Amino acid sequence: MATKRQVASLDLRAYLRVSKDASGEERSPNEQWSDLQADSEAEGFTLHASPYRDIGSASRYAGKARTNFDRMVRDLESGEFEADGLALWEPSRGSRKVSEWARLIETLAERKLGVWVHTDGRLYDLSRARDRKDLQDAAVDAEYESGKTSERQVRSQAARAARGGAAGRLSFAQVSEYDPKSGKLVRRSWDEEKGQLVIDAFRAVDKGKSLFSIEKKWLAEGVLNGRGKPFTGNQIREVLRNRTYIGDRVHVPGQIIRWYRANPEDVMITKGDWEPLLKLENGDADRDLFFRVQDILSRAERVTTRPGGARHLMSMTAKCAVCTGPIAAGCGKRGSSTYRCGKGCVSVQKALVDEFATDLIVGFLSREDEYASLEHGDGGNVELHEAQKKLADIDAHYQSMKSLTRQRKMSPEAFAEMEPGVLADLATAQQRVDMLRTPLELREFFAPGDDVRERFEECDIAAQRQIVAYVFSPGRLGEFRIKKSPTPGHIVPIEQRVEFFRPAGAEVEPGEAANLVGVAES
């Protein structure tokens, strides 16, 4: 053990850490610093003016990195530590991970640096095997205690989740109500003003509004997130993914993961002990609205963020008829706006294409038969529902096959032989559902009438591009393709430059497409 004279000659640099600052149960970094300053006065050593500080668990079960712990180790290894040793409030403040602690001890020992520990009231001389062992034993004990604590927490959280008890931080618009006498939590409820914002956001997305439009609306109204900053579109997406709003308590044992990203078999969902925010007139949770919005948010084709460079109606949706590559907006030789293929196969005036495409879209959305075939909330599309049921049945069969294989009731060989056919059926069924499912974002555009063009032109470009992708899909009018000019160097009617491609390989001529949607040719 180092003598008091040896200790007094040292300049030590502190590492201060607490799992939860000002918890009332652990010494905060400032309190640890005060204790170490008292040690320095009593023992005669000096403390480096810039200690390393972290707020976060040292446990192997911690979810957040401790930035300054890693920086401290890097400084030790690079020679930038600038002290004769390390000062800790107690050994577990360094690390409860044995591997991390061993690396730290080895690095300190290699550089002949000691460790002062306040709770032990001593300096560990790491040139001595016994001192190294004492610190290593302390790390093993700390990891063991941390493991036991984690296991208790997992059991406690699972039991609480099974009861529907609230846990974790408050969701946006959620508030805690406490007993004024005991100070104990009575229940969680909803802030009326913020709660209405959330309800309105669900309804807006259900009606086809983009997350970007909600982001702009909340920004204009001064709505702030938990950090006091404006909400981003992605943060609003997370709000709308939160099952707390329909009174669901979600628990994924042993994992920190969103319910919609986890394996469904791992997710435990129980009825929460709070009232849902999204409610029907009878007080029950409006689960239909919630899951319609989940369906919208989970679609790969949905545009929910700022459109970035996609500021042009047909850019990247229209294709080149020669190489089938995407068409993008550009600038012509005389400064005019054009759509052109990336390989230079074709080029056409942008205004002509946009006007022609808009006429086709308006005609398509004005058709009585197209409107009648759509899925609506009151009854829906029977054909789509049947396709969805078939998809669910095939998927259930596939999941059953996998379960039987895991239970060794089906051989891996039999599973391998059957799987390709089932997957092919799944893909076909999914394609059928995708073809029949009308994007909820477009509902408001399909009521037949003379105002369709006006409603389309009032949309922002992100919504218009969604409609373009919907109308010019292979299952509807067909993929919008631009051909080479039949007379290069001369402007020809746009109808001669466009064709529509469908999966079967049949190309639909513009005139046929125009007649199909009731749009007269120019």
Side-chain angles (χ1 to χ4, degrees):
M1 181 183 297
T3 65
K4 187 166 184 176
R5 178 177 297 177
Q6 289 172 319
V7 174
S9 66
L10 298 178
D11 179 14
L12 304 178
R13 192 165 186 180
Y15 174 68
L16 313 172
R17 182 198 62 77
V18 67
S19 296
K20 293 182 180 179
D21 196 9
S23 66
E25 298 179 355
E26 296 198 50
R27 302 289 283 176
S28 73
N30 287 340
E31 290 172 323
Q32 294 174 33
W33 179 246
S34 295
D35 288 343
L36 290 172
Q37 283 183 317
D39 291 345
S40 72
E41 292 174 4
E43 300 296 330
F45 63 81
T46 58
L47 282 173
H48 191 286
S50 300
Y52 299 93
R53 293 172 179 263
D54 271 322
I55 304 295
S57 176
S59 164
R60 61 179 293 190
Y61 305 97
K64 294 183 179 179
R66 291 168 298 131
T67 305
N68 281 316
F69 179 88
D70 297 333
R71 184 167 69 87
M72 177 181 68
V73 174
R74 289 197 301 270
D75 287 351
L76 281 166
E77 292 175 338
S78 66
E80 297 178 6
F81 185 65
E82 299 178 345
D84 302 317
L86 178 65
L88 298 172
W89 193 77
E90 68 176 6
S92 66
R93 288 300 183 273
S95 180
R96 294 191 185 109
K97 299 179 184 178
V98 174
S99 59
E100 272 190 358
W101 192 230
R103 177 189 173 194
L104 178 61
I105 291 174
E106 288 174 0
T107 305
L108 289 164
E110 288 171 358
R111 285 150 183 77
K112 298 181 172 56
L113 304 179
V115 179
W116 172 266
V117 178
H118 165 77
T119 54
D120 295 347
R122 60 171 286 195
L123 179 77
Y124 288 85
D125 181 356
L126 299 187
S127 66
R128 295 167 54 89
R130 183 67 204 182
D131 282 12
R132 292 197 302 274
K133 182 179 185 301
D134 287 346
L135 285 180
Q136 288 165 347
D137 288 345
V140 172
D141 292 343
E143 183 176 55
Y144 174 60
E145 290 300 323
S146 178
K148 290 198 299 181
T149 300
S150 177
E151 290 171 2
R152 285 196 299 269
Q153 289 175 343
V154 168
R155 290 194 296 269
S156 174
Q157 289 170 358
R160 186 172 181 80
R163 297 194 303 269
R169 68 178 62 182
L170 294 169
S171 300
F172 177 70
Q174 199 171 39
V175 294
S176 296
E177 296 183 16
Y178 296 91
D179 186 296
K181 294 183 178 180
S182 66
K184 291 184 178 180
L185 177 68
V186 176
R187 63 173 181 168
R188 287 186 173 183
S189 58
W190 303 103
D191 177 271
E192 184 175 349
E193 184 176 348
K194 292 181 179 178
Q196 191 60 50
L197 286 170
V198 175
I199 294 171
D200 290 345
F202 272 98
R203 291 172 177 170
V205 172
D206 187 41
K207 291 179 180 179
K209 301 298 183 182
S210 68
L211 294 184
F212 183 41
S213 68
I214 299 172
E215 177 186 337
K216 289 193 297 184
K217 182 176 182 292
W218 284 17
L219 177 64
E221 295 177 359
V223 182
L224 303 178
N225 61 27
R227 295 184 177 182
K229 297 181 179 180
F231 276 86
T232 66
N234 283 334
Q235 289 170 343
I236 294 173
R237 173 193 287 272
E238 292 302 316
V239 168
L240 298 177
R241 287 289 207 177
N242 193 341
R243 296 180 71 135
T244 299
Y245 298 118
I246 52 172
D248 280 355
R249 170 66 160 91
V250 180
H251 180 59
V252 185
Q255 299 183 59
I256 302 175
I257 189 172
R258 305 294 186 191
W259 65 270
Y260 51 88
R261 291 179 182 148
N263 185 334
E265 297 176 358
D266 297 334
V267 180
M268 181 171 75
I269 298 175
T270 54
K271 187 179 185 303
D273 59 3
W274 60 88
E275 290 294 318
L277 177 63
L278 299 179
K279 293 190 294 187
L280 300 169
E281 291 184 0
N282 63 5
D284 292 341
D286 191 346
R287 304 181 75 83
D288 285 345
L289 171 60
F290 180 83
F291 285 106
R292 285 201 304 271
V293 171
Q294 303 316 298
D295 185 51
I296 293 170
L297 296 177
S298 64
R299 293 181 193 170
E301 71 271 17
R302 176 171 170 78
V303 179
T304 55
T305 56
R306 290 182 176 87
R311 300 185 299 272
H312 308 282
L313 187 67
M314 299 299 294
S315 180
M316 308 307 288
T317 297
K319 298 292 191 296
C320 172
V322 179
C323 69
T324 70
I327 297 292
C331 188
K333 294 180 180 179
R334 298 179 182 177
S336 60
S337 296
T338 63
Y339 283 124
R340 59 176 60 200
C341 164
K343 294 183 178 180
C345 305
V346 298
S347 177
V348 63
Q349 287 189 20
K350 177 178 177 295
L352 295 176
V353 174
D354 287 352
E355 182 179 0
F356 180 70
T358 298
D359 285 344
L360 290 174
I361 290 167
V362 170
F364 184 81
L365 301 187
S366 299
R367 285 173 51 194
E368 290 281 352
D369 59 340
E370 178 63 26
Y371 176 72
S373 73
L374 300 179
E375 175 191 18
H376 287 269
D378 53 351
N381 181 335
V382 175
E383 192 176 7
L384 172 62
H385 291 168
E386 290 178 352
Q388 289 174 323
K389 184 179 183 303
K390 182 176 181 180
L391 174 63
D393 290 344
I394 297 173
D395 184 59
H397 174 57
Y398 183 52
Q399 298 303 324
S400 175
M401 286 171 49
K402 293 198 292 185
S403 177
L404 290 172
T405 304
R406 284 195 297 268
Q407 298 172 30
R408 299 184 180 179
K409 294 180 181 179
M410 175 183 286
S411 69
E413 293 78 14
F415 178 82
E417 183 178 349
M418 296 174 63
E419 184 182 33
V422 177
L423 289 178
D425 291 343
L426 263 178
T428 301
Q430 184 64 62
Q431 287 176 348
R432 177 66 175 166
V433 169
D434 290 343
M435 191 270 287
L436 291 172
R437 180 195 282 134
T438 299
L440 300 177
E441 298 91 335
L442 307 184
R443 282 181 179 175
E444 63 185 285
F445 298 101
F446 286 84
D450 296 333
D451 63 341
V452 172
R453 180 182 296 276
E454 179 181 352
R455 282 182 284 157
F456 175 78
E457 292 177 347
E458 286 178 351
C459 288
D460 59 30
I461 188 62
Q464 288 182 345
R465 284 174 55 79
Q466 287 182 0
I467 297 169
V468 165
Y470 174 75
V471 172
F472 297 121
S473 61
R476 295 177 177 86
L477 284 189
E479 192 175 80
F480 191 105
R481 294 187 175 184
I482 297 175
K483 303 186 292 185
K484 282 182 173 293
S485 172
T487 55
H490 296 81
I491 296 177
V492 299
I494 189 63
E495 294 88 339
Q496 297 182 26
R497 300 289 311 275
V498 178
E499 65 183 19
F500 298 86
F501 183 82
R502 289 178 174 169
E507 294 177 354
V508 183
E509 289 302 319
E512 183 183 349
N515 292 331
L516 183 66
V517 298
V519 178
E521 290 188 69
S522 302

